Amino acid sequence: MGQGQSGLPGAQPPGDKAQQEKDKEKKAKKYEAPPPARVGRRKKKRGPEVAAKLPTVTPNARCRLRYMKLLRIKDYLLMEEEFITNQERLKPHEEKTQEERSKVDDLRGSPMGVGTLEELIDDNHGIVSSSVGPEYYVNILSFVDKDQLEPGSSVLMHNKVLSIVRILQDEVDPLVSVMKVEKAPLESYADIG
């Protein structure tokens, strides 16, 4: 017992058990790189527990300086609470505004036509002559500034619905608009000579 024959598998000399245990320990211990040296400033921890942490007030005794610092902290916390409630209150309004702007961008993003406002019927309707020729009875969208609308102004119209989307600023030379033939003359070339 305890003595195995040499040359057979699994047979070990009696002094080898201690050597094998040392080898197992060496294999178990792998090289671990040292922690990297920190360069620069340490990062501040962020999160709810850090945000809720109040600053320490240095004078421990009851004195005016401690009282003033505590009041300052209290004012800051009240201001922070008011800011958060305002953000929660205004968030639905901002989402609604963003949705309306996306609708307006969808309208403005589609093909447009240019026309001239001939006559205002009421606050929401007008007659526009397009550059091609015919006159149309069109809607005026709600976001168009109606104070700037006046007969003769150039407007941008939606191509499909033919509603007024925007007022174009008059960057055209007024002499060019004078040369535009609005009504056909009654005289013919034969009358002129």
Side-chain angles (χ1 to χ4, degrees):
M1 282 208 240
Q3 294 180 357
Q5 295 178 357
S6 63
L8 292 177
Q12 302 170 356
D16 266 354
K17 285 187 180 180
Q19 183 66 28
Q20 284 183 351
E21 288 177 20
K22 286 181 184 179
D23 288 341
K24 284 182 185 178
E25 287 178 15
K26 285 183 182 177
K27 287 180 184 177
K29 290 184 181 178
K30 292 184 179 179
Y31 174 75
E32 293 180 17
R38 191 170 42 84
V39 177
R41 300 175 79 186
R42 218 162 89 189
K43 290 184 180 178
K44 291 183 179 180
K45 292 182 181 179
R46 296 184 185 261
E49 63 277 347
V50 176
K53 185 179 177 184
L54 292 175
T56 57
V57 182
T58 46
N60 291 329
R62 286 187 171 186
C63 64
R64 182 137 180 96
L65 181 62
R66 179 179 174 82
Y67 176 71
M68 297 301 285
K69 286 186 178 181
L70 289 174
L71 280 180
R72 194 171 194 179
I73 292 170
K74 177 185 165 194
D75 289 342
Y76 176 78
L77 291 174
L78 287 173
M79 185 174 61
E80 189 177 39
E81 181 184 7
E82 183 180 349
F83 175 76
I84 290 171
T85 55
N86 284 343
Q87 289 297 321
E88 290 173 356
R89 183 173 47 90
L90 293 175
K91 194 167 190 175
H93 179 67
E94 289 175 358
E95 290 174 357
K96 183 179 176 187
T97 305
Q98 183 67 26
E99 183 180 323
E100 289 174 353
R101 285 188 187 205
S102 67
K103 287 180 182 177
V104 169
D105 289 341
D106 289 344
L107 280 174
R108 287 187 177 165
S110 51
M112 300 289 171
V114 179
T116 306
L117 183 67
E118 297 295 328
E119 185 181 343
L120 281 170
I121 304 299
D122 60 6
D123 285 344
N124 297 326
H125 299 92
I127 295 178
V128 174
S129 66
S130 69
S131 56
V132 179
E135 293 183 348
Y136 299 105
Y137 176 77
V138 297
N139 289 327
I140 301 171
L141 296 182
S142 61
F143 52 82
V144 176
D145 188 13
K146 292 170 177 75
D147 295 336
Q148 293 181 352
L149 270 179
E150 53 190 38
S153 60
S154 297
V155 291
L156 194 64
M157 297 185 308
H158 191 273
N159 219 14
K160 295 177 184 172
V161 190
L162 290 179
S163 54
I164 296 176
V165 176
R166 184 174 165 191
I167 302 169
L168 294 175
Q169 300 299 325
D170 293 329
E171 297 175 358
V172 183
D173 188 10
L175 296 176
V176 174
S177 61
V178 170
M179 287 188 264
K180 179 182 169 188
V181 178
E182 292 183 0
K183 294 182 181 177
L186 300 174
E187 298 85 19
S188 66
Y189 286 109
D191 294 339
I192 297 172

